Amino acid sequence: MLPINVTRSSMPPLEEYIEEIRGLWDSHWLTNMGEKHQKFQTALEEYLKVPHVTLYTNGHLALEGILAAMNFPRGSEVITTPFTFASTTHAIVRSGLVPVFCDINDRDYTMDAAKIEALITDKTVAILPVHVYGNLCDTEAIQKIADKHGLKVIYDAAHAFGVTKNGVSAACFGDAAMFSFHATKVFNTIEGGAVCYRDDAMVQTLNDLKNFGIHGPEAVPFVGGNAKMNEFQAAMGLCNLRHLQGEIAKRKEVVKKYRELLSGYGKITFCAPQPDVEPNYAYFPVVFESEKMRDAACERLKEQNIIARKYFYPLTNDFSCYKDLPTAGGDKTPIVRSIASRVVTLPLYAELGLDEVERICKIVSE
Ligand SMILES: *Cc1c(COP(=O)(O)O)cnc(C)c1O
């Protein structure tokens, strides 16, 4: 049996990509905001219906870009979730800020908005929630709290490309949203990322941050780094964007099959579907009754060459690099601790066969 990985990157037909990059052999313009970059940026602004998109070489640097652009005093506190990929917490700490961990709710595993206010201090400057698994956070409640206390809201929307709430894309919530276009995401540019936002004043800063602060051959008024998206990444994005709806439709069928086959089995819970949200079926997390059962299922799958991932385990506030951080320590976040010890994401990608889903479900339910 061929191995089944937890995900498989979406790729356009080879000929389509070749056609998209052919012109680069004439222009010899490979990076530095070339034609493909500009075209892709505009395509995203239209698709996401957001005023500004700034492209980055990956999602992580896009997130660090947002934090740098907001220019918070060093040591300021950012309320965030530990139920995420390393990137979210690392971006906060690498920016000289202090992550303060908020618990999640047990329905969709996003930040529990009811627990945010108790964490606000005079050092709090922002809330940085994650639309985990593509589930959208309670954006209204979070915005209300932010407005009341004068805080910025930054969404890690790495999982939520293509997701909408009442027709509004995940790009449009908060002061800024970050997307990752990493190879493993629903929509990829090989590596890549973007910042989406409304504030016109942020355009220049975000561009400066990704291109050394260079304004002209002899003008460098800003201390920036390098995080530009190149032409090959942008070309991949232009191609994959044409196929996105088809990919999501195929993922939907896979998820439907999983739910159908596993729903009668009482020892597993799924994320609750979100009313008003059109999902992208980015992941299929299941939560077992116990950690032992979860680990046993992972082992049995692995024996059959099927890779499921304990996503997200361990929690970022349990990482060894944060053991000395006074605000870490998962004890203050009991729900997330319980979910992380029992969750696993099952293989999910557009080309996953429904017969393979049946085989996976059989092993899991045994
Ligand atoms: C993938 C991911 C990132 C980082 O994105 P890259 O493009 O890989 O740098 C950040 N946050 C979350 C939740 C992610 O899943």
Side-chain angles (χ1 to χ4, degrees):
M1 289 276 188
L2 281 172
I4 300 177
N5 265 315
V6 70
T7 186
R8 196 166 85 152
S9 301
S10 297
M11 293 171 84
L14 177 60
E15 295 69 28
E16 183 179 342
Y17 188 63
I18 290 173
E19 223 22 71
E20 196 66 55
I21 61 173
R22 192 177 293 282
L24 304 178
W25 264 256
D26 300 323
S27 68
H28 286 244
W29 189 308
L30 306 185
T31 186
N32 284 41
M33 286 64 81
E35 185 198 330
K36 299 295 169 191
H37 177 287
Q38 297 314 105
K39 212 171 138 192
F40 181 47
Q41 181 183 305
T42 306
L44 287 182
E45 284 166 356
E46 283 168 10
Y47 171 69
L48 298 165
K49 300 193 185 78
V50 67
H52 300 296
V53 170
T54 302
L55 299 173
Y56 272 73
T57 192
N58 60 52
H60 179 80
L61 288 174
L63 192 53
E64 287 197 7
I66 297 172
L67 292 168
M70 291 188 173
N71 208 10
F72 299 123
R74 275 191 88 78
S76 298
E77 293 175 358
V78 177
I79 296 172
T80 188
T81 168
F83 195 59
T84 183
F85 183 55
S87 169
T88 319
T89 309
H90 286 349
I92 295 169
V93 175
R94 286 168 54 83
S95 303
L97 305 168
V98 179
V100 173
F101 297 99
C102 184
D103 212 348
I104 59 172
N105 72 64
D106 61 5
R107 298 176 307 280
D108 55 31
Y109 316 136
T110 63
M111 187 182 282
D112 186 347
K115 293 183 179 167
I116 295 174
E117 277 197 294
L119 300 172
I120 296 173
T121 71
D122 54 4
K123 283 189 175 169
T124 309
V125 289
I127 307 171
L128 203 169
V130 178
H131 297 306
V132 69
Y133 304 133
N135 294 337
L136 292 193
C137 298
D138 188 347
T139 50
E140 292 89 3
I142 291 169
Q143 195 59 53
K144 221 180 241 169
I145 295 164
D147 290 345
K148 182 173 158 195
H149 296 273
L151 307 175
K152 297 281 189 195
V153 181
I154 301 157
Y155 282 107
D156 179 333
H159 297 177
F161 193 83
V163 182
T164 56
K165 190 192 276 187
N166 295 317
V168 178
S169 81
C172 299
F173 300 105
D175 295 282
M178 173 277 280
F179 287 114
S180 163
F181 307 141
H182 184 257
T184 55
K185 307 295 203 257
V186 169
F187 170 75
N188 84 80
T189 62
I190 311 170
E191 291 260 9
V195 182
C196 302
Y197 52 103
R198 286 179 301 274
D199 184 5
D200 300 338
M202 261 169 70
V203 178
Q204 186 67 58
T205 312
L206 285 169
N207 283 329
D208 282 344
L209 283 161
K210 72 173 190 184
N211 190 28
F212 305 108
I214 293 172
H215 285 199
E218 297 179 10
V220 186
F222 188 94
V223 186
N226 181 8
K228 300 184 295 290
M229 175 178 279
N230 70 47
E231 292 291 277
F232 290 84
Q233 292 173 286
M236 191 71 161
L238 285 166
C239 293
N240 277 338
L241 195 56
R242 290 181 202 123
H243 301 282
L244 178 67
Q245 284 320 316
E247 294 286 297
I248 291 177
K250 286 188 207 161
R251 285 171 169 273
K252 182 178 180 175
E253 289 308 308
V254 174
V255 169
K256 216 172 106 190
K257 192 81 184 164
Y258 266 130
R259 281 186 172 265
E260 188 186 303
L261 293 176
L262 291 174
S263 63
Y265 185 69
K267 300 192 182 319
I268 290 174
T269 46
F270 313 134
C271 290
Q274 299 187 302
D276 311 327
V277 171
E278 191 57 50
N280 65 354
Y281 306 95
Y283 298 88
F284 190 67
V286 295
V287 174
F288 284 83
E289 214 170 59
S290 72
E291 181 164 8
K292 220 173 117 197
M293 215 180 263
R294 187 265 312 257
D295 291 353
C298 285
E299 275 310 306
R300 291 294 298 276
L301 288 167
K302 210 168 142 205
E303 283 163 16
Q304 304 289 319
N305 235 338
I306 298 166
I307 308 305
R309 288 286 299 275
K310 295 175 192 174
Y311 231 37
F312 290 97
Y313 175 88
L315 296 167
T316 67
N317 54 355
D318 284 335
F319 284 1
S320 61
C321 56
Y322 293 132
K323 68 180 187 304
D324 297 327
L325 195 74
T327 53
D331 304 345
K332 289 167 217 140
T333 50
I335 291 175
V336 76
R337 171 151 301 252
S338 160
I339 298 292
S341 69
R342 295 180 289 126
V343 72
V344 67
T345 58
L346 297 177
L348 171 56
Y349 44 86
E351 305 303 329
L352 185 64
L354 297 184
D355 52 332
E356 292 172 310
V357 175
E358 277 176 28
R359 193 155 71 86
I360 293 165
C361 291
K362 193 153 169 285
I363 297 167
V364 167
S365 53
E366 274 167 9

